[in-house]
Amino acid sequence: MSSSIERTPAPAGTDRRTFLQRVALTGVALGPGGAFLASCATGGDDDDDGDGATQAPSGDVSEDNPLGIPTDQPLQIYIFDGGFGDEYATELHEPMFNERWPDIEIQHTAAVDIGAELQPRFVAGDPPDFVNNSGDGQMDTATLVADGLLYDLTPLFDAPSWDDPDVTVRDSLLPGTIERGTFNGTPYVLNYAFTVFGLWFNQTLMDENGWPVPTTWQEMMDVCADIAATGIAPWVYQGVTAPRYMNWPLLSMATKLAGPEILVPLDNLEPGAWGHEAIRESAAAIRQLAENSYFLPGVEGMEFRDAQGLWARGEAVFCPSGSWLENEEADAIAENPTFQMAMMPDPLLSPDSVMPLETVRATAGEPYIIPADAANPLAAMEYMRVMLSLEGARGFSERVTSLTSVAGASDGVQIDAPGLASAQAALQAAGDNVINWFYPNWYPTMENPGIDQITGALLRAEITVDQWVEQCEAVATTIRDDDSIVKQTRES
């Protein structure tokens, strides 16, 4: 096995050149229409084939080599050295790859600031083959796609899976995984970790007080009344930092009520989408929490970690978030040894809801990309096939306490973290009833600061539901009418 490893430390400071490099791939325009982006964030050379990708070397296609990768060319890998670290790559995926392809030298780099490290190489048309594009310095995906800098991953998803040649990679993944990384019908991003969203609650307090886990919104209001009577706050949310977290139960409950088709107009920026009756009803339900003083006092001015920490220390019962919450608040949880967290799906607004209670929002995350100008893109896709094997996915879950986008990969895996175990159980109970929306990924400023701040006002009961709808519509209109923003569409 041949492998070389390099670790790049975080930069000590940011000079003007580094700033300009970051701007070129993070979607920040320096002039009208983003002219700097158009002129600077483009790689390639005279060998381009016209679609932003150079002609890559290839080998013979066979049953053992379905992608036809060259078996003697090096593979350059960049891994974000953040919350997951990079040992899952060096100790699991790379050895698996080299066991099958021993003559391919893996050149591994762990970087803290992916954008600062790689933007000059993208500009020069000499990027690495495989990039874990994550962290605070991650490159803006929509900009990369618009500038033709990413490789089409369709061959990967159409290839046989690592474990079963009769099952494609596409059919081995959880619902919504490919769509999460698709732009205008073409998949450019492999999102590997899988996040389950819902309401996280203090299981200890619920059990000690005999409070039932609510399944409808009326039951939620009844339980909140009982909780508030004890002096404990029923709810927290992520304060001034991220009131948008409350959009997640809002849209999930609306989708359960009326069906997943209500999400399509939201993502497609259709006029009037935010005024759907189910969304209005859900917004009114969320506003009831403020009207009845069911939020932790002062939460509207807190930083998100402060609010979540108070929840973990027992000062509130319910908290909206994704399945990263357990790891994010590990220190606060450790201070409260009796605390045990669990996840519940968002309640039904009505017993007549179109979708069942077990429906959850879940989405693949932690993005991995192959640059269009990669020297060895086929080997990079083969490396992704390794990651998407059952062995590769299970090993990842065991090492970093995260679910993956591979269907069935968590079956039989011993998960000691109670929160993640409950998220796994919720995902299994949901079956095919998994929902998601894409506008935050496609149009980040629409979500934050746009709708984020509007929902914050709703949670403080400073605006009515009608005003909330009107202002959300205005944000969507701004995005829709901005010709400098590349638009995406979804069919269903």
Side-chain angles (χ1 to χ4, degrees), residues 92 150 236 278 319 420:
L92 175 65
L150 296 188
V236 298
C319 177
L420 187 62

Side-chain angles (χ1 to χ4, degrees), residues 15 122-123 158 268 294 310 390 394 436 444 452 455:
D15 57 19
F122 272 84
V123 171
D158 288 344
N268 290 344
Y294 287 157
L310 292 173
L390 288 174
R394 286 171 179 164
N436 193 28
D452 187 40
T455 296

Side-chain angles (χ1 to χ4, degrees), residues 38-370:
S39 62
C40 188
T42 304
D45 53 31
D46 294 338
D47 294 327
D48 283 357
D49 61 9
D51 64 357
T54 56
Q55 186 65 39
S58 61
D60 295 329
V61 175
S62 66
E63 184 175 340
D64 293 332
N65 187 5
L67 291 169
I69 74 170
T71 60
D72 58 354
Q73 300 293 315
L75 175 63
Q76 292 189 18
I77 290 177
Y78 263 73
I79 299 292
F80 169 59
D81 193 5
F84 291 152
D86 71 328
E87 290 183 355
Y88 69 89
T90 59
E91 296 182 3
L92 175 65
H93 296 148
E94 291 173 16
M96 287 179 63
F97 182 94
N98 272 139
E99 184 176 356
R100 180 169 294 189
W101 307 110
D103 294 330
I104 297 179
E105 177 192 4
I106 294 179
Q107 299 168 353
H108 175 106
T109 300
V112 173
D113 192 333
I114 289 292
E117 287 289 321
L118 295 184
Q119 194 275 338
R121 295 189 59 178
F122 272 84
V123 171
D126 180 35
D129 303 308
F130 175 94
V131 179
N132 175 200
N133 183 33
S134 189
D136 290 339
Q138 71 181 137
M139 298 170 285
D140 182 78
T141 304
T143 299
L144 293 172
V145 170
D147 287 342
L149 297 180
L150 296 188
Y151 203 90
D152 181 353
L153 299 183
T154 299
L156 165 71
F157 296 127
D158 288 344
S161 65
W162 187 265
D163 300 296
D164 186 346
D166 294 328
V167 176
T168 64
V169 171
R170 181 184 307 277
D171 290 337
S172 72
L173 303 178
L174 289 170
T177 297
I178 296 176
E179 290 79 3
R180 179 73 167 82
T182 294
F183 291 77
N184 282 332
T186 302
Y188 290 106
V189 183
L190 168 63
N191 288 287
Y192 188 55
F194 209 79
T195 298
V196 182
F197 295 84
L199 294 182
W200 300 81
F201 62 94
N202 188 321
Q203 181 78 66
T204 304
L205 286 177
M206 296 285 279
D207 290 346
E208 288 177 351
N209 291 278
W211 295 323
V213 176
T215 61
T216 67
W217 191 254
Q218 184 55 57
E219 290 177 1
M220 171 61 76
M221 296 304 290
D222 293 341
V223 168
C224 284
D226 291 341
I227 294 171
T230 68
I232 300 172
W235 279 66
V236 298
Y237 63 91
Q238 282 66 17
V240 68
T241 310
R244 63 185 175 277
Y245 278 42
M246 289 296 289
N247 276 349
W248 305 343
L250 190 161
L251 289 179
S252 292
M253 291 192 300
T255 304
K256 291 184 186 185
L257 179 62
E261 59 272 12
I262 72 169
L263 298 173
V264 177
L266 293 183
D267 290 336
N268 290 344
L269 305 175
E270 295 180 17
W274 288 91
H276 192 285
E277 186 57 37
I279 295 177
R280 289 178 179 272
E281 186 170 338
S282 193
I286 293 296
R287 194 178 189 276
Q288 283 183 300
L289 297 172
E291 294 167 358
N292 288 278
S293 300
Y294 287 157
F295 289 128
L296 181 70
V299 69
E300 68 277 359
M302 296 180 187
E303 295 296 312
F304 80 104
R305 291 296 306 276
D306 293 336
Q308 292 175 173
L310 292 173
W311 167 79
R313 293 178 180 92
E315 295 193 26
V317 175
F318 298 105
C319 177
S321 191
S323 48
W324 64 77
L325 179 63
E326 187 169 27
N327 183 64
E328 191 168 62
E329 294 305 325
D331 290 344
I333 291 172
E335 295 176 18
N336 186 3
T338 64
F339 174 80
Q340 183 168 341
M341 66 184 294
M343 195 211 94
M344 56 173 280
D346 299 300
L348 298 177
L349 289 171
S350 167
D352 297 327
S353 294
V354 170
M355 302 190 76
L357 171 68
E358 292 78 13
T359 301
V360 294
R361 180 194 178 202
T363 179
E366 194 63 19
Y368 297 80
I369 57 176
I370 299 174

